[in-house]
Amino acid sequence: MTVRARGMRMLGAVALLSMIGTNGVAASEPAYSPSELRILRSLWLGSLPPLPDDPSNAYDTDPRAARLGRALFSDVRLSQNGALSCATCHPPGGGFQDRKPVAEGLGRLPRRSMPLAGVAYNTWFFWDGRKDSLWAQALTPIENPIELGMPRDGVVALVAAHYRSEYEAIFGPLPAEPRAESATTRAFVNVGKSIAAFVRTIAPTPARFDHYVEAALAGTKPDAAGTMTATELRGLRLFIGRAHCTNCHAGPLFTNGEFHFTRVPQVATEHGRSDAIALLRGDELNCLGPYSDARPDACTALRFMDPDTRDTLQAFKTPSLRNVAVRAPYMNAG
């Protein structure tokens, strides 16, 4: 293959990413084989299954918890300096991601913020998967000294001062003074479960790609919302075919949710998934821990997680490509 031909194929693949969530112009309609149509259907947002229930969070579908979580998500009083919130790194738009090379809270983190649209479909959370529930993930930046930097008792005091009635209507009485450590942690966990109930409602929205695939599956010509350029169509052919992009970027969220060593340079020496496995197994906030609402037999992902770290050194999660065109720069370290 000539250098020019290779360049044209690469341009096609890059152009495909630009249409997963953006606009474009009309192009001629290619014919797809039955196997190609099956792959297209698997990537179509219409194939996204119903939201899974989190057995470790008994409140994940409670609308009252979601309303409380929405308020807490944007409350800057949940930070040590009174200027930061969950929404600082996850603002609405672009999949609830801040588009910075790495996250910035009270300090600068080694990894970039991850998008939240559709995150409730995940099994593992963070780039290295060191949490196994959305509520445990939500709590991590709150008490991290370089993110929001709030201690657990400070979070509970904030809830008691400003959200007592909303909290107690869902979870019962807040712990009385003086607080036992376990009671404080229980209330702190309930804050995370509320935020998770809200984040669970953040769903991906149809993109131009989805309108195009819907027309392709129906055997009709796409309307203006689903048209694609000739370059994008070449990229699509590569994406679902010879480039094997769907080996990792599969399904309606364009991710297999697994961890891979991609040899992308890091801003710091990080071991990724290999370190996270031990952290997760010993975490009191995991699915098998005392603050989980799940029966042990419901924690299948954690119970059967492969403890072997030899193949996970510097492996990071495959990111979703939904709205990827508006979320530069890329990879876990931006």
Side-chain angles (χ1 to χ4, degrees):
M1 184 183 297
T2 66
V3 172
R4 184 178 185 276
R6 286 197 298 270
M8 290 300 291
R9 289 189 180 278
M10 181 61 72
L11 285 174
V14 171
L16 169 67
L17 301 184
S18 73
M19 64 84 189
I20 305 175
T22 57
N23 294 321
V25 297
S28 59
E29 185 78 10
Y32 293 105
S33 69
S35 62
E36 288 173 328
L37 285 173
R38 284 194 295 271
I39 297 173
L40 288 176
R41 180 183 292 277
S42 74
L43 298 171
W44 175 47
L45 195 59
S47 295
L48 194 66
L51 274 169
D53 182 39
D54 178 4
S56 71
N57 183 358
Y59 309 94
D60 64 336
T61 60
D62 189 327
R64 300 171 302 168
R67 287 193 294 271
L68 175 59
R70 179 189 291 272
L72 291 166
F73 187 86
S74 300
D75 195 334
V76 295
R77 295 171 297 192
L78 212 57
S79 62
Q80 188 182 86
N81 66 357
L84 303 167
S85 70
C86 302
T88 301
C89 290
H90 301 284
F96 281 71
Q97 198 268 344
D98 61 9
R99 309 180 194 180
K100 293 182 179 180
V102 293
E104 297 177 7
L106 295 172
R108 185 178 175 89
L109 281 79
R111 302 172 189 167
R112 73 189 311 248
S113 305
M114 299 194 81
L116 295 184
V119 73
Y121 287 94
N122 289 1
T123 299
W124 314 111
F125 298 84
F126 291 114
W127 282 103
D128 56 7
R130 65 186 181 275
K131 295 292 183 180
D132 65 347
S133 71
L134 189 51
W135 60 267
Q137 179 277 324
L139 293 172
T140 303
I142 294 175
E143 60 179 345
N144 186 337
I146 61 172
E147 292 187 73
L148 301 188
M150 278 288 279
R152 296 181 181 186
D153 58 353
V155 172
V156 176
L158 172 77
V159 171
H162 301 284
Y163 298 102
R164 179 180 290 274
S165 61
E166 295 94 330
Y167 175 98
E168 293 187 340
I170 305 165
F171 303 106
L174 281 159
E177 296 283 1
R179 299 189 185 99
E181 183 178 347
S182 60
T184 297
T185 298
R186 175 68 65 182
F188 177 67
V189 163
N190 289 338
V191 166
K193 290 179 178 179
S194 294
I195 294 174
F198 161 62
V199 174
R200 186 178 187 272
T201 69
I202 302 173
T205 54
R208 183 159 51 91
F209 170 81
D210 301 294
H211 296 299
Y212 173 82
V213 172
E214 189 170 7
L217 294 173
T220 61
K221 185 175 181 180
D223 59 21
T227 53
M228 291 168 56
T229 68
T231 305
E232 289 168 347
L233 291 173
R234 287 197 298 271
L236 178 56
R237 289 282 193 190
L238 282 171
F239 193 93
I240 65 175
R242 292 175 60 186
H244 303 293
C245 300
T246 53
N247 287 356
C248 296
H249 296 285
L253 296 179
F254 285 83
T255 174
N256 60 4
E258 295 300 326
F259 304 89
H260 304 280
F261 174 39
T262 60
R263 294 177 173 80
V264 172
Q266 305 296 315
V267 295
T269 302
E270 295 206 82
H271 294 159
R273 181 62 173 169
S274 63
D275 282 352
I277 290 172
L279 291 172
L280 181 54
R281 289 169 68 90
D283 190 353
E284 68 171 349
L285 302 184
N286 69 25
C287 186
L288 292 170
Y291 302 100
S292 168
D293 298 319
R295 300 187 316 273
D297 62 357
C299 302
T300 53
L302 182 62
R303 289 171 55 222
F304 298 106
M305 178 178 64
D306 186 355
D308 191 347
T309 62
R310 288 174 297 181
D311 294 330
T312 57
L313 183 64
Q314 293 187 327
F316 293 91
K317 183 187 289 186
T318 303
S320 169
L321 296 184
R322 285 275 163 190
N323 291 302
V324 69
V326 297
R327 290 193 279 106
Y330 301 111
M331 305 299 181
N332 63 289

